[in-house]
Amino acid sequence: MRKMWSALDKMPAPATTYERIVYRNPSEHHYMKVCLEFEDHGVGLNVAQFKQLLISALKDLFGEVAAALPLDVLTYEEKTLSAILRICSSGLVKLWSSLTLLGSYKGKKCAFRVIQVSPFLLALSGNSRELVLD
Amino acid sequence: MVRFKHRYLLCEVVSDDPRCRLSLEDRALGGLIRDTIARVHGTFGAASCSIGFAVRYLNAYTGIVLLRCRKEFYQLVCSALPFITYLENKGHRYPCFLNTLHVGGTIRTCQKFLIRYNRRQLLILLQNCTDEGEREAIQKSVTKSCLLEERSDEEELSDSGGEEAAEAME
């Protein structure tokens, strides 16, 4: 009996291990709903020209490194010139600031209106700002 | 406590062409680096890096360049250096690349590193030496630098670091 107690004393107590995982932002992409407005109406862009405009805006402000960011145009409507973009979260600030500072396309004045930004694509389906209350 | 902190990048210009190093000029190199930063990092990079940017030291014989930039943006400069592929001088293009040897906070630390690096390079040159006359010359400079090293260890308290550093770098 005494032998058993001394053996138990010598055994090290099992250490309680726990792991703490903190997710600050589990989503690695950010989704932006944007709309391009021209000063004079009647200017049309197809989706390739639209993406070229975005890449050239990034390249102007942040160079080749930013122009190589994985940017996707998920949807595009040619009539309203609005689109949903996807960018990796580390490049969101660069994309948004280069959209803000974009002034013209082929000599014509234009501006980007950012309607919604969210790390979740589902959030872009409903916009409480456009709610019509009867 | 309130001062602008800098980072000093010690780089070496490596090229196949022996004329490339001799055509090194501080203003031309500074302009080339600024253009490369503008290409790689855009208007933002060009503006942020060129405020504290300067070419502090240039040695055309060994191809060593010491660049200074602000501490907050030294990573932009560092990441733009591999995009330099040629040096242009009087219409001639020499393909080369910049090898970053050391990043220091002050010129003094970069100088200390450069002295140790040059001593090691002398020993490597001695090993790869083929010509007898060259071998003698390199052995002489190695023994001279060893004597200078002993002397600097003895006189550690006195501030004669600048003179022997200049001698060792030649």
Side-chain angles (χ1 to χ4, degrees), chain A residues 92 97 105:
Chain A
L92 175 70
S97 49
Y105 169 69

Side-chain angles (χ1 to χ4, degrees), chain A residues 59-66, chain B residues 38-45:
Chain A
K59 194 164 166 174
D60 259 337
L61 191 55
F62 288 105
E64 301 272 353
V65 167
Chain B
R39 183 167 51 102
V40 175
H41 293 294
T43 336
F44 171 74

Side-chain angles (χ1 to χ4, degrees), chain A residues 3-124:
Chain A
K3 217 173 176 183
M4 190 179 84
W5 278 119
S6 59
L8 274 174
D9 282 338
K10 282 185 197 145
M11 246 174 34
T16 48
T17 52
Y18 55 90
E19 207 180 319
R20 186 168 150 230
I21 303 174
V22 176
Y23 280 115
R24 290 235 187 85
N25 183 11
S27 162
E28 35 174 76
H29 296 285
H30 266 80
Y31 300 87
M32 290 176 80
K33 195 177 198 177
V34 296
C35 174
L36 180 58
E37 253 183 47
F38 276 94
E39 197 183 20
D40 43 316
H41 306 276
V43 187
L45 274 97
N46 64 12
V47 63
Q49 290 169 325
F50 187 78
K51 186 157 186 193
Q52 163 65 20
L53 181 62
L54 294 173
I55 303 277
S56 66
L58 273 171
K59 194 164 166 174
D60 259 337
L61 191 55
F62 288 105
E64 301 272 353
V65 167
L69 282 173
L71 163 70
D72 301 308
V73 178
L74 297 178
T75 57
Y76 180 67
E77 275 174 58
E78 199 165 329
K79 277 190 215 150
T80 53
L81 291 174
S82 66
I84 296 187
L85 312 173
R86 181 180 78 162
I87 185 117
C88 56
S89 299
S90 54
L92 175 70
V93 175
K94 292 193 178 170
L95 176 66
W96 201 340
S97 49
S98 48
L99 288 181
T100 308
L101 293 178
L102 182 70
S104 64
Y105 169 69
K106 283 191 183 165
K108 290 166 232 164
K109 284 197 195 170
C110 63
F112 265 100
R113 307 284 181 220
V114 174
I115 301 167
Q116 247 181 319
V117 179
S118 168
F120 310 108
L121 187 52
L122 193 54
L124 296 183

Side-chain angles (χ1 to χ4, degrees), chain B:
Chain B
M1 10 157 258
V2 182
R3 67 170 220 258
F4 284 121
K5 298 197 177 167
H6 297 279
R7 283 287 175 264
Y8 290 88
L9 305 172
L10 192 67
C11 310
E12 184 188 0
V13 177
V14 179
S15 169
D16 285 332
D17 202 345
R19 297 170 294 175
C20 177
R21 283 189 183 169
L22 297 171
S23 66
L24 272 179
E25 237 186 24
D26 54 352
R27 246 170 285 190
L29 189 67
L32 175 66
I33 296 178
R34 268 176 233 247
D35 288 337
T36 311
I37 296 175
R39 183 167 51 102
V40 175
H41 293 294
T43 336
F44 171 74
S48 58
C49 297
S50 64
I51 293 182
F53 182 76
V55 178
R56 270 321 196 182
Y57 170 78
L58 185 68
N59 190 335
Y61 298 111
T62 55
I64 299 282
V65 179
L66 186 68
L67 307 167
R68 177 192 71 177
C69 57
R70 286 279 160 90
K71 179 177 149 187
E72 291 88 19
F73 304 110
Y74 84 97
Q75 284 147 337
L76 291 180
V77 179
C78 249
S79 58
L81 291 181
F83 289 86
I84 296 176
T85 51
Y86 65 89
L87 268 179
E88 189 139 351
N89 183 32
K90 290 172 201 154
H92 288 286
R93 260 193 199 189
Y94 305 107
C96 67
F97 66 91
L98 285 182
N99 196 12
T100 307
L101 302 173
H102 187 244
V103 176
T106 55
I107 297 187
R108 191 176 293 220
T109 54
C110 289
Q111 198 180 52
K112 283 189 198 163
F113 175 83
L114 191 60
I115 296 170
R116 289 195 327 255
Y117 179 78
N118 283 344
R119 284 208 188 100
R120 267 181 272 142
Q121 290 298 100
L122 274 178
L123 293 173
I124 293 173
L125 275 178
L126 189 59
Q127 273 180 352
N128 304 345
C129 201
T130 49
D131 191 21
E132 215 21 74
E134 274 182 27
R135 191 179 283 269
E136 278 181 31
I138 295 180
Q139 266 175 346
K140 235 193 316 185
S141 26
V142 170
T143 43
K144 198 164 82 166
S145 73
C146 287
L147 285 171
L148 283 170
E149 192 178 4
E150 282 175 22
R151 195 157 42 102
S152 79
D153 286 336
E154 285 170 16
E155 301 174 347
E156 223 174 27
L157 287 172
S158 68
D159 194 19
S160 58
E163 298 164 11
E164 40 200 315
E167 285 174 40
M169 277 205 273
E170 275 165 25

